[in-house]
Amino acid sequence: MDRNLFLAFALSIAVMMGWMALTGPPPSQMPPEEEQHRPLDPIDGVEQSLPPTTTAVERPSPLPVTEPSRFDSPQAPVRLISIDMPLYTVELTSRGAGIASWVLKEFRETSDPDSPLIKLTTGQAPFDTALVTPFNELGLGDFSQYAFQVLSEEPAGVTFEASEADITIRKTYSFDADSYSFRVLIEVENESTASIAPRFRIDLPAHVREGSDFRELALAALEDGSTVTEQLQSLGRPGFLSSFTGDRPEPYQDFLGEIDWAGIQTTYFLSVILPDTPAQAGVRMAATEAGVSGKVQVFFAETAIPPGQSAARELRGYMGPKEMARLEALGSETVRAIDLGWSWVQPLTRFFSVFLKMLYSAIPNYGVAIIILTILVRLVTTPLTIKQMRSMERMRALSPKLKEIQAKHADDRQKQSEQTMALYKSEGVNPLGGCLPMLLQFPVFIGLFYALRSTIQLRQSPFVGWINDLSVPEELFEIPGLGLPFRVLPLVMGATMVLQQKITPVQVDPAQAKMMMTVMPIMMTFVFYQFPSGLVLYWMVSNVLAISHQLIIGRDLRAKAAS
């Protein structure tokens, strides 16, 4: 989760728990499953010679910081090769033998059917060609700028070749027709008279882009079973404390543990490289222009290639949506790129995600599905709600006696506490009875939060009227003169919180009650004003149901108490 969202959510939770504590609920990585890395199938027609394996796996050392050199020798003309697959269109360039453009056919930038298709790689500066292999360590020049020759073209693959000083580099791409995955085989042949030691580095670049799909653009990797992320906009830029300490961050960070995957991610899309030998792979996340552009560099331990021999590495890749089924099929725990929350809440997140899709299959409107899901959750947790309200009503009945104790022992806090606990014991009242049921519901609220936030099906999914995308904040109109969006759902949600607080029995003085009826709803409205409309819809409906519970169940409890 990015820092701003975490702070906002932590603030809302703190306020909600404080409110519940005064009167009487509501973010994540799955624990790594034991998984064997699937062996790679060879690309048809390509003979491979992988680096020899040894008993002790050699870990990669950090990449040196070197200035790329240029080639003086003549090169082939630059060519662009387009490959059209059912789910995407990829354009390869012979300059660097990389991917210039990757366009998703089933996803557009906005809900407008005429808006441009999503491009995960554009090939435009500073968003340079993806999957280039510089091979600077060979001392021949920067092969990311080299114009490779095209050896072969197939409907689902292309082979490029570059030769300099009796060293040949060959790159073969193979694309899957029924998924967003691909493979790239990188071969190095040494026909020179000296040994060489390539590191098979491959780059994935990124830059800050317009649109809600790229507002959380980050560089990410799975290192030693833990997900590490760096927000692109903050990578290489001084933080808040830097203005006081004078320290400036390094323009790059190295991760030298076992790397299962590394790449670029947003809330709903992922572009990753999967090393063939994670134990020999390392990652550098570098800022090419701090806060504007950067790149993920996957590299390996040096592979010694004596004269007359060759070595190769085959890497897998994925550029597509964060769909759970596709990432689970891809393997290497790429599914952990989906933000499902902390490990203890992930089973609930998965359950709610699947259940939302089931509801949508019956009622093809995710807004309605969210409302039904919220109602069902409320029904399931009704016993806890009744227990909480019963405890609150009993506490309210004891209020006069508690005030007597407070007045009688105003100068003796210890005596006051002893008398209060004695009263609770004699009346059989648990002072935490109003809080514990809500604490038990806490995982449910968090699971729903992550399910609504991580489900890609909510992206550009309309609800009613002006709410045409449940994955982003809704906007009815822009306030003239202020340039601020007017949003209905957060304001209605804030109003429901005021009403809910107003009808809830509170055991605090009037000044505190007034604060809870004004400060908390205002703060929560402010926090939720930037949340996706699907999340705000859930919270608003949950408040409305809580008010109904309070009015109906509370009335019955008071009637029974009076009889």
Side-chain angles (χ1 to χ4, degrees):
M1 176 186 299
D2 66 274
R3 182 174 54 190
N4 292 335
L5 182 59
F6 179 84
L7 290 176
F9 193 66
L11 178 61
S12 66
I13 292 300
V15 172
M16 179 62 70
M17 293 305 295
W19 177 41
M20 292 301 177
L22 287 174
T23 64
S28 19
Q29 295 297 336
M30 177 174 296
E33 298 177 357
E34 295 298 327
E35 174 186 356
Q36 298 293 327
H37 295 285
R38 296 183 299 178
L40 298 175
D41 298 326
I43 296 177
D44 294 340
V46 179
E47 184 179 352
Q48 303 179 49
S49 58
L50 296 178
T53 58
T54 58
T55 303
V57 177
E58 183 180 358
R59 299 297 306 139
S61 58
L63 289 173
V65 180
T66 58
E67 291 292 331
S69 58
R70 296 181 177 274
F71 287 95
D72 296 326
S73 58
Q75 301 176 25
V78 175
R79 288 189 55 191
L80 294 176
I81 302 171
S82 181
I83 294 181
D84 188 45
M85 306 301 284
L87 298 174
Y88 57 90
T89 299
V90 57
E91 188 175 62
L92 300 167
T93 174
S94 63
R95 183 175 297 281
I99 295 176
S101 174
W102 187 290
V103 180
L104 304 180
K105 291 184 175 181
E106 297 184 350
F107 299 90
R108 296 189 177 273
E109 292 183 0
T110 69
S111 55
D112 185 346
D114 296 325
S115 67
L117 295 171
I118 287 288
K119 291 183 178 181
L120 297 185
T121 303
T122 65
Q124 299 175 358
F127 197 42
D128 301 320
T129 306
L131 272 67
V132 294
T133 47
F135 282 110
N136 292 327
E137 65 275 11
L138 298 181
L140 301 176
D142 185 358
F143 279 91
S144 67
Q145 301 299 317
Y146 194 95
F148 283 61
Q149 293 183 334
V150 179
L151 287 187
S152 65
E153 297 180 47
E154 301 293 338
V158 178
T159 299
F160 299 94
E161 184 179 270
S163 295
E164 283 288 328
D166 296 323
I167 295 176
T168 299
I169 297 174
R170 191 174 299 111
K171 295 174 69 174
T172 301
Y173 288 89
S174 177
F175 300 95
D176 293 340
D178 57 351
S179 73
Y180 296 92
S181 61
F182 61 93
R183 300 186 184 213
V184 54
L185 174 67
I186 308 171
E187 302 171 280
V188 178
E189 296 180 359
N190 182 16
E191 297 298 333
S192 69
T193 57
S195 293
I196 58 175
R199 304 198 65 172
F200 291 88
R201 178 186 126 196
I202 190 164
D203 294 358
L204 261 180
H207 76 106
V208 174
R209 299 167 66 179
E210 296 287 336
S212 60
D213 282 311
F214 300 96
R215 66 181 181 272
E216 295 183 20
L217 186 63
L219 314 185
L222 185 65
E223 179 197 31
D224 290 335
S226 299
T227 303
V228 292
T229 59
E230 289 291 335
Q231 293 294 313
L232 182 59
Q233 288 185 315
S234 61
L235 185 62
R237 299 180 67 179
F240 174 75
L241 295 178
S242 300
S243 58
F244 300 98
T245 63
D247 297 332
R248 295 192 63 85
E250 293 290 340
Y252 61 86
Q253 294 189 40
D254 287 335
F255 302 91
L256 302 178
E258 183 170 323
I259 303 298
D260 287 276
W261 53 261
I264 315 295
Q265 70 170 10
T266 65
T267 303
Y268 297 118
F269 298 101
L270 181 68
S271 300
V272 289
I273 299 169
L274 290 72
D276 53 353
T277 53
Q280 292 183 326
V283 166
R284 171 169 290 179
M285 298 179 184
T288 52
E289 184 178 352
V292 176
S293 61
K295 61 178 65 177
V296 169
Q297 302 171 324
V298 178
F299 55 92
F300 298 86
E302 293 181 344
T303 302
I305 307 178
Q309 295 190 27
S310 64
R313 284 192 179 277
E314 186 183 38
L315 296 86
R316 291 185 295 153
Y318 179 92
M319 293 187 180
K322 285 184 176 179
E323 295 178 353
M324 193 173 298
R326 292 188 184 277
L327 295 185
E328 286 178 337
L330 184 64
S332 296
E333 297 189 66
T334 49
V335 71
R336 296 181 63 189
I338 302 176
D339 192 2
L340 298 177
W342 293 317
S343 58
W344 55 270
V345 80
Q346 287 185 12
L348 280 173
T349 302
R350 286 174 172 266
F351 170 76
F352 287 131
S353 296
V354 172
F355 199 65
L356 264 178
K357 294 173 187 175
M358 291 173 58
L359 290 173
Y360 181 80
S361 64
I363 305 172
N365 185 305
Y366 269 106
V368 177
I370 290 172
I371 294 174
I372 295 175
L373 178 59
T374 310
I375 294 173
L376 293 176
V377 169
R378 272 286 169 180
L379 289 175
V380 171
T381 57
T382 292
L384 293 175
T385 303
I386 295 175
K387 186 175 181 180
Q388 175 213 9
M389 294 176 63
R390 182 180 292 116
S391 177
M392 293 169 66
E393 289 293 339
R394 297 181 70 181
M395 286 291 294
R396 183 168 66 172
L398 291 180
S399 182
K401 295 181 180 180
L402 291 172
K403 290 181 179 180
E404 289 180 7
I405 294 174
Q406 293 169 1
K408 183 177 180 180
H409 304 286
D411 298 328
D412 190 344
R413 302 285 296 184
Q414 182 176 354
K415 191 69 173 178
Q416 184 182 125
S417 177
E418 291 175 354
Q419 291 292 317
T420 299
M421 294 307 297
L423 177 63
Y424 287 154
K425 185 176 181 179
S426 64
E427 296 292 338
V429 174
N430 182 359
L432 297 179
C435 298
L436 293 177
M438 293 308 298
L439 288 175
L440 294 176
Q441 296 182 54
F442 184 77
V444 175
F445 293 126
I446 303 302
L448 272 171
F449 172 87
Y450 277 102
L452 295 176
R453 184 177 184 270
S454 62
T455 302
I456 190 173
Q457 284 77 14
L458 290 180
R459 179 185 178 272
Q460 297 180 2
S461 180
F463 177 35
V464 292
W466 72 99
I467 306 176
N468 54 14
D469 188 348
L470 288 166
S471 69
V472 298
E474 48 92 5
E475 179 179 339
L476 183 60
F477 59 85
E478 189 175 276
I479 301 175
L482 297 178
L484 297 176
F486 182 86
R487 294 174 178 151
V488 176
L489 290 181
L491 297 176
V492 175
M493 186 209 71
T496 61
M497 293 189 69
V498 173
L499 179 58
Q500 184 179 5
Q501 176 62 25
K502 192 176 182 66
I503 66 174
T504 300
V506 183
Q507 306 302 319
V508 297
D509 60 59
Q512 289 176 309
K514 183 177 180 181
M515 181 194 73
M516 295 307 297
M517 275 201 305
T518 55
V519 175
M520 193 196 68
I522 291 175
M523 188 176 298
M524 292 289 285
T525 300
F526 175 79
V527 170
F528 274 72
Y529 213 74
Q530 296 300 323
F531 273 22
S533 53
L535 286 172
V536 185
L537 176 64
Y538 155 71
W539 202 270
M540 182 191 72
V541 174
S542 183
N543 285 348
V544 171
L545 295 174
I547 292 171
S548 302
H549 265 143
Q550 187 68 45
L551 293 174
I552 299 172
I553 301 175
R555 181 189 59 195
D556 294 340
L557 290 175
R558 288 190 294 271
K560 290 179 180 179
S563 60

